[in-house]
Amino acid sequence: MQEPRSIVAGYDGSAEAAEAVRWAAQHAYRRGLAVHVVHCSIWPLLTRHLGPVPGVSDSGLERSAESILEEGLAHAKAAAPGADVESTLLHGLPAQHLAGISARQEMLVVGGRGLGGFLGLVVGSVSLELAATASCPVAVIRSDLHPDGPVVVGVDESGSPTALKDACTLASASRADLTVVHVRHTPAGYRRFRDNPEALAAAEDVLRTALNSARIHAPGIRVEGTLLTDSSIAHGILDVSGDAAMVVLGSKGRGLVKETIGSTAHAVLHHARGPVLVSRHGSNNGR
């Protein structure tokens, strides 16, 4: 029998990680899933002296890591009383551990920035690595949450079926509106009066097909569509998602970071004003 899948939340003691754990617990509870809080201690990579200080109770680096995990567990239980909550303390680099765990889980949830155990030396360092390597959807939670906003999903010419399905799942779980966005990419300086009617019709068909699919996968949810023309796909998506409860994107795309994470997802992760979910599904990532 296949083991039940969980929502895994990475916790490092930072404020944004606390938001991520709370969001993960609430989302897991709505979907009837367990939430699994994970803390990765890097101290064993740096020193062998993990034990308590002689004569000082409740001290030592290992105990500090345990305390951080206990704190994360408390955040999850407070956010979703009655939820099925479990926790694990791991030792080593968090991105490697969490990417390994992801193959068996429903979703990974992390904060937009990391301190302490997550080595957040740059904005989103671990988040970006997981968005490129995980085998399940990765939700990056920031402190500027918009719980009453819509779920916004960007679809490309393929219709981005996995991203669309993930967005439908999110919207259905939270009873949020769903906005499907398709951005027609045009080079800078493009003259719109020379627009190709066939290209416009193709773009309209992409959006119409995605909307029909969304209404099937998210019955009872208000679904709207937006068709934009922009020299930057990321800019177009960001322009309509300022109050989004979650922006959902595929993980592949045109641009500079091929074979890892698409340039559109990369840009949105850096500049979004709220949570972002990168839709990853094993070997079918980005579609």
Side-chain angles (χ1 to χ4, degrees):
M1 182 179 295
Q2 186 176 11
E3 293 183 3
R5 296 157 72 90
S6 301
I7 306 291
V8 175
Y11 184 69
D12 62 5
S14 67
E16 291 207 357
E19 291 282 7
V21 167
R22 289 190 286 265
W23 185 93
Q26 292 168 353
H27 182 67
Y29 183 69
R30 293 188 191 108
R31 293 180 59 184
L33 300 172
V35 60
H36 186 177
V37 181
V38 177
H39 174 60
C40 298
S41 172
I42 65 167
W43 289 118
L45 302 178
L46 306 175
T47 179
R48 292 178 294 173
H49 303 292
L50 303 176
V53 177
V56 180
S57 62
D58 205 32
S59 65
L61 296 175
E62 184 69 2
R63 178 57 195 144
S64 175
E66 292 170 354
S67 296
I68 292 173
L69 181 63
E70 290 165 3
E71 184 180 80
L73 191 63
H75 282 307
K77 290 180 176 180
D84 183 3
V85 183
E86 55 186 293
S87 62
T88 300
L89 176 61
L90 300 174
H91 301 89
L93 296 176
Q96 293 178 2
H97 277 305
L98 292 174
I101 291 171
S102 69
R104 306 181 300 276
Q105 306 304 333
E106 190 71 19
M107 182 186 296
L108 286 179
V109 184
V110 293
R113 294 183 179 89
L115 301 171
F118 279 129
L119 284 178
L121 301 178
V122 297
V123 175
S125 56
V126 169
S127 304
L128 286 172
E129 185 170 348
L130 287 170
T133 60
S135 299
C136 71
V138 178
V140 180
I141 308 300
R142 293 178 171 86
S143 57
D144 46 349
L145 300 173
H146 311 108
D148 298 322
V151 173
V152 175
V153 56
V155 299
D156 62 15
E157 292 86 349
S158 73
S160 304
T162 56
L164 185 64
K165 189 173 181 180
D166 285 339
C168 290
T169 299
L170 285 165
S172 297
S174 59
R175 308 307 298 172
D177 293 346
L178 177 61
T179 301
V180 182
V181 180
H182 178 53
V183 182
R184 299 178 59 219
H185 180 257
T186 58
Y190 179 77
R191 295 186 178 183
R192 296 189 182 184
F193 64 82
R194 291 184 178 178
D195 201 1
N196 183 340
E198 293 182 358
L200 178 59
E204 291 173 338
D205 186 59
V206 167
L207 182 59
R208 181 167 49 251
T209 300
L211 288 172
N212 290 338
S213 179
R215 290 176 178 127
I216 292 171
H217 286 102
I221 295 300
R222 181 181 177 187
V223 180
E224 297 182 338
T226 300
L227 179 61
L228 302 173
T229 299
D230 203 303
S231 59
S232 164
I233 296 175
H235 179 271
I237 293 171
L238 289 166
D239 194 47
V240 299
S241 61
D243 64 343
M246 183 70 74
V247 180
V248 182
L249 299 166
S251 62
K252 292 282 183 74
R254 300 179 222 152
L256 301 176
V257 203
K258 295 177 181 177
E259 307 305 325
T260 53
I261 179 175
S263 57
T264 295
H266 190 277
V268 172
L269 274 171
H270 272 298
H271 300 292
R273 296 186 292 275
V276 177
L277 183 136
V278 178
S279 180
R280 297 189 63 85
H281 292 271
S283 62
N284 295 320
N285 285 331
R287 295 299 175 200

